[in-house]
Amino acid sequence: MILTVTLNAALDITYRVPRLQPHSTNRVTEVSERPGGKGLNVARVLTALGHRAVATGFAGGGTGDALRSLLAQETSVTDALVPVGGATRRTVAVVDESTGDTTQLNEPGPVVTPAEWDAFMSTYRELLTGAQAVALCGSLPPGVPVDVYARLTRAARTAGVPVLLDTSGEPLRRGLAARPDLAKPNADELAALTGSTEPLRAARDARRRGAHTVAASLGADGMLVVTTDGAWQAAPPRRIAGNPTGAGDSAVAGLLSGLVEDLPWPARLARAVALSAATVRAPAAGEFDRGTYEELLGRVTVTEHPVAA
C-alpha cells in the first residue's frame, strides 16, 4: 500500500466558458466537481498503475462531505481522511475554451485545531504500519505549524517507510532538514529555495540541505534527478499540447510506483515524464491519457550527467 497525505484537500470545481471576459458576465457552458489536492491526484494515478493507494489528510463541512462522497464513487482509492470542524476549501478553475487558458482561484482551507491535529497524527502513525511508501503533498491549511512536513517525515523514517516530499516555500525548507528520501520541487520552487535558476546546481544544493534525492520537474522539458549515485535528466520526445494541471502529481505517482517496484532511476524518470506528459492530454488532474503514456514511455530520452565532486 502507498499512502498519500493531503493536509489541504479541496473540492475542485471547473467552469468552462466560451471566452473569459474580465469585468463582464460570463456564461458557463459546463461545470464539473471532483476531489482535489495533490495527494488525492497522486492516489488516483497510482491506482490506475495497479497500486493500492490510501489517501489521508483533513475533510470537513459540507464541502468535505461532498469531496468524500465523490471519492467514494472512485472505488479504487481508500478514504482515510480525518474529519475537522472547519469546511474543506474549494478551488475554482475557469477554463477559457477559446484559448485553452485556465484561471485558478484557491481558497485557504479550514483552521485545524490542536485536537484535530492529534487525531490526524494518530491515524497517520497507524497507516504507516502498512505502507510501502508515503507522499507528503501540497499546501498547509491554517492552524497547522509550518514544520509539520518535517514532523511527518521523521515519523515515517522512524517507521522505516520511504518519504517523498512535494511542497514549496518554508514547509519545503523545513521538511528537507528532516531528510526525506525524495523531494520533488518544480523549477520555480527549487529556484526560490536555493536562489539558483540553474536546475542541476539548484538540485545539488537542495540535496545538501537534507534530501537524499531531489527530482525537479522542468515542465515541458521533463525532469532532472540528483541522487547519491548520480544525476539524470529525462525529456519527452515531443511537446504535448493541453492542460498541465496535475502533471506534477502524475510525475510523483510515477516516482513512487518506481520506488516500490525498485526500478532503476532511468526507468523511474522515464515513467514519471511519460505520465506527466500524458496528464496534459487528460481532461482533469489525477488522470492521464493511457494511449499517450504508452506511446511516450519507450521514447523518453534519459541522459546521465557527470558526477559532481
Side-chain angles (χ1 to χ4, degrees), residues 8-219:
N8 209 10
L11 181 65
D12 287 347
I13 302 168
T14 301
Y15 294 143
R16 303 187 73 88
V17 298
R19 180 182 296 276
L20 182 61
Q21 300 180 17
H23 317 297
S24 180
T25 299
N26 289 268
R27 300 294 181 183
V28 176
T29 58
E30 182 182 336
V31 181
S32 64
E33 294 184 344
R34 61 185 291 125
K38 294 178 72 63
L40 291 175
N41 294 337
V42 171
R44 279 196 292 266
V45 175
L46 284 169
T47 60
L49 294 172
H51 290 271
R52 180 173 172 244
V54 175
T56 190
F58 297 111
T63 312
D65 291 342
L67 183 153
R68 300 187 82 165
S69 176
L70 290 168
L71 191 61
Q73 298 171 31
E74 301 177 14
T75 55
S76 54
V77 177
T78 300
D79 177 358
L81 295 166
V82 175
V84 292
T88 293
R89 68 188 179 124
R90 297 164 297 180
T91 67
V92 179
V94 182
V95 179
D96 184 331
E97 294 180 323
S98 68
T99 63
D101 291 339
T102 300
T103 300
Q104 191 86 12
L105 303 173
N106 293 342
E107 296 180 355
V111 175
V112 176
T113 68
E116 290 165 344
W117 175 254
D118 289 345
F120 168 79
M121 283 302 298
S122 191
T123 297
Y124 177 69
R125 290 192 178 98
E126 182 178 344
L127 290 169
L128 284 175
T129 62
Q132 298 168 282
V134 58
L136 309 176
C137 302
S139 63
L140 303 180
V144 173
V146 74
D147 69 341
V148 294
Y149 282 139
R151 300 184 196 181
L152 297 180
T153 297
R154 286 192 289 267
R157 289 178 58 80
T158 298
V161 179
V163 181
L164 184 151
L165 177 62
D166 182 15
T167 188
S168 61
E170 193 61 20
L172 173 61
R173 191 182 307 275
R174 301 282 189 97
L176 288 178
R179 300 187 61 77
D181 296 86
L182 174 61
K184 196 218 71 66
N186 62 33
D188 290 340
E189 292 162 351
L190 195 58
L193 173 73
T194 66
S196 174
T197 57
E198 201 287 302
L200 183 59
R201 177 181 299 172
R204 285 173 170 157
D205 185 349
R207 266 204 79 237
R208 288 191 289 269
R209 294 167 186 257
H212 289 270
T213 297
V214 173
S217 293
L218 306 178

